[in-house]
Amino acid sequence: MAAVHGDAHGHDDHHPSGIMRWVTTTNHKDIGTMYLWFSFTMFLIGGFLAMGIRAELYQPGIQILEPELFNQFTTLHGLIMVFGAIMPAFVGFANWQVPLMIGAPDMAFARMNNWSFWLLPVAGTLLVGSFFVPGGAAAGGWTFYPPLSTQGGLGVDLMIFAVHILGASSIMGSINIITTILNMRAPGMTLMKMPMFVWTWLITAYLLVLVMPVLAGVVTMLLTDRHFGTSFFNAAGGGDPVMFQHIFWFFGHPEVYIMILPAFGIVSEIIPTFSRKPLFGYSSMVYATASIAILSCVVWAHHMFTAGMPTVGQLFFMYATMLIAVPTGVKVFNWTATMWRGSMTFETPMLFAIGFIFLFVIGGFSGVICAIVPIDIQVQDTYYVIAHFHYVLVSGALFSLFAGVYYWLPKWTGNMYSETLGKWHFWLSMFFFNLTFFVQHFLGLAGMPRRIPDYNLQFADFNMISSIGAFGFGLTQLLFLYIVISCIRSGEKSPEKPWEGATTLEWTHLPCPAPYHSFEKPPIVK
Amino acid sequence: MSQETDKKRKKFVTAIILFATVVAIYITVILKVW
């Protein structure tokens, strides 16, 4: 480790202090930290909106939110969680971890990296601020289908502007990540020697480059329909609102995988570490990730089976969607096989990783069920779909983010988190998450529609259970905030290598915390 | 060409190709619906 310590102190470490350090920083660790704090802030705001939704649905009848405001809450909850919380959180992980894991000194374009981040607070402010403009925020759902989105007020314009900005940020971020991975790997680190987290991010970044301009195109057309007299999606002017849905979901379905592939990467790092075995079937994991990414681009219309399409189209999109279960199954098999006969221990990151596998598989199965056309036509726009995608995005993406934070906190801060509180966080999250969302399967199957602030009396009991679960889940995340802050401020000093089974470069070649400038001389990978 | 310059050129070329892809897809989507 002597060489490593030399690396830590050998650099003229001049950078501004105070707020200017964060405004002007080009350091990937600073920028990664800012991404993570920003996404957690947005997670709390999106979570507040979720609490509002569940409070309203606690009982039948209108309780605290008028229907118009309820619709704004559901719309902004989705937009903020997808674009403001989950995606920036994974970019934060990429910023911190990709250079450390490939032995690079920083991201390829450090100034662009700073710019990518600082666009986010602007977009976040526009989204949140849209609640306070005349007419309120966008209320047509996070998918902003026309004609609702072509008819809304100023809030829709702010949302369109915010989505443009977030898209630009994502595109710059993904170009940066691809360029870094392709050009700045340490000598000896061939593509097939890269850690799985890096592989998943490389593939995710390509997906972003492919689909973000599609989203940008569709929101630009929405904007011109609203203000410049075009009729791309206006049926009265010869346009086609269903075309919007096709284009949106050509972006929207790969977007789901943009939010889950890096999660696969994090879990693929944690499970081998705490099983003390190499990842089972590394190359099949790489090919499975690439297969999922490719297939994700040919399944978009399964979101629109009820919008009307030829039978042959329905069959194609149904079978193509089911096909995704194959590479996903390969991944689940490989994670399980990695654990098989391993010397497993169950620290908090491992608990969240195993929780991820259990619950993501449930979300995957309900996804295959939704892919079957006759069933989808029954459950379309019901709480069954809500339950399905929250199993994928909360117990999938969010649990993996928690796992990753606990796993890399010692590397980022130099301190250990409280293992006892971490385990409390996991078990409470596990309990309340299932309390919230498992019952929503039954609500959906019984026919309760989504995006409605009131409901029939027959749905009352399950809704009350779901709301209690949601309040518990929300409060549990404040415990997570406490754990992270107390780790940073007063956590026990981390050993040089807190996880004995870790094998990637950031654990084997760098101390804890990672120095401000790392790998100025690239390590040799054998 | 020094190794450093060559590396910078490669990074630049990668980024330009990716950026051109983004612009091409953006324009294609709008023209296709036009």
Side-chain angles (χ1 to χ4, degrees), chain A residues 159-441:
Chain A
M159 179 205 70
I160 289 173
F161 193 27
V163 169
H164 268 121
I165 294 172
L166 291 164
S169 167
S170 286
I171 287 167
M172 284 194 282
S174 50
I175 289 176
N176 217 340
I177 289 167
I178 294 172
T179 311
T180 305
I181 296 173
L182 292 187
N183 295 288
M184 296 175 69
R185 298 191 308 279
M189 181 172 282
T190 58
L191 284 175
M192 291 311 275
K193 282 186 185 169
M194 289 196 310
M196 266 314 293
F197 178 71
V198 180
W199 253 118
T200 54
W201 244 115
L202 179 64
I203 292 166
T204 302
Y206 272 111
L207 265 184
L208 276 164
V209 165
L210 180 69
V211 301
M212 272 296 161
V214 177
L215 175 71
V218 84
V219 288
T220 303
M221 287 185 275
L222 206 56
L223 189 72
T224 59
D225 271 10
R226 284 172 60 81
H227 294 294
F228 301 104
T230 58
S231 295
F232 288 112
F233 308 122
N234 178 7
D240 184 0
V242 177
M243 177 59 85
F244 175 93
Q245 297 185 24
H246 278 287
I247 303 172
F248 179 86
W249 285 114
F250 184 81
F251 146 80
H253 198 76
E255 169 68 15
V256 174
Y257 292 92
I258 286 163
M259 289 188 281
I260 205 67
L261 292 183
F264 290 167
I266 291 174
V267 169
S268 300
E269 297 302 329
I270 291 171
I271 286 179
T273 295
F274 294 98
S275 304
R276 289 156 184 83
K277 278 173 65 189
L279 183 66
F280 182 88
Y282 170 88
S283 53
S284 67
M285 284 297 231
V286 173
Y287 298 132
T289 310
S291 308
I292 291 170
I294 292 165
L295 285 171
S296 79
C297 295
V298 294
V299 297
W300 75 89
H302 68 216
H303 293 271
M304 341 168 15
F305 282 144
T306 54
M309 74 179 74
T311 307
V312 68
Q314 290 183 332
L315 286 173
F316 170 79
F317 286 109
M318 177 172 80
Y319 289 131
T321 304
M322 289 174 167
L323 204 56
I324 297 187
V326 176
T328 311
V330 169
K331 283 183 163 290
V332 173
F333 178 86
N334 285 354
W335 291 323
T336 314
T338 305
M339 289 187 276
W340 178 251
R341 293 193 168 178
S343 300
M344 290 171 69
T345 50
F346 298 94
E347 288 86 346
T348 308
M350 185 63 160
L351 287 178
F352 270 105
I354 294 172
F356 165 93
I357 297 176
F358 268 101
L359 299 181
F360 178 77
V361 165
I362 294 177
F365 277 136
S366 61
V368 176
I369 290 166
C370 287
I372 300 165
V373 177
I375 296 179
D376 184 79
I377 289 169
Q378 300 299 315
V379 298
Q380 161 87 17
D381 263 345
T382 70
Y383 263 79
Y384 191 87
V385 176
I386 302 281
H388 155 65
F389 72 73
H390 281 89
Y391 266 83
V392 174
L393 291 180
V394 179
S395 57
L398 186 62
F399 271 34
S400 81
L401 286 164
F402 288 144
V405 168
Y406 285 116
Y407 183 56
W408 281 302
L409 259 181
K411 184 55 61 185
W412 298 342
T413 66
N415 296 336
M416 293 302 287
Y417 59 88
S418 163
E419 196 60 61
T420 311
L421 289 180
K423 283 179 176 159
W424 270 104
H425 176 223
F426 169 74
W427 286 111
L428 288 172
S429 294
M430 191 78 172
F431 175 73
F432 285 123
F433 169 80
N434 284 294
L435 197 64
T436 310
F437 293 108
F438 199 73
V439 293
Q440 292 185 3
H441 290 105

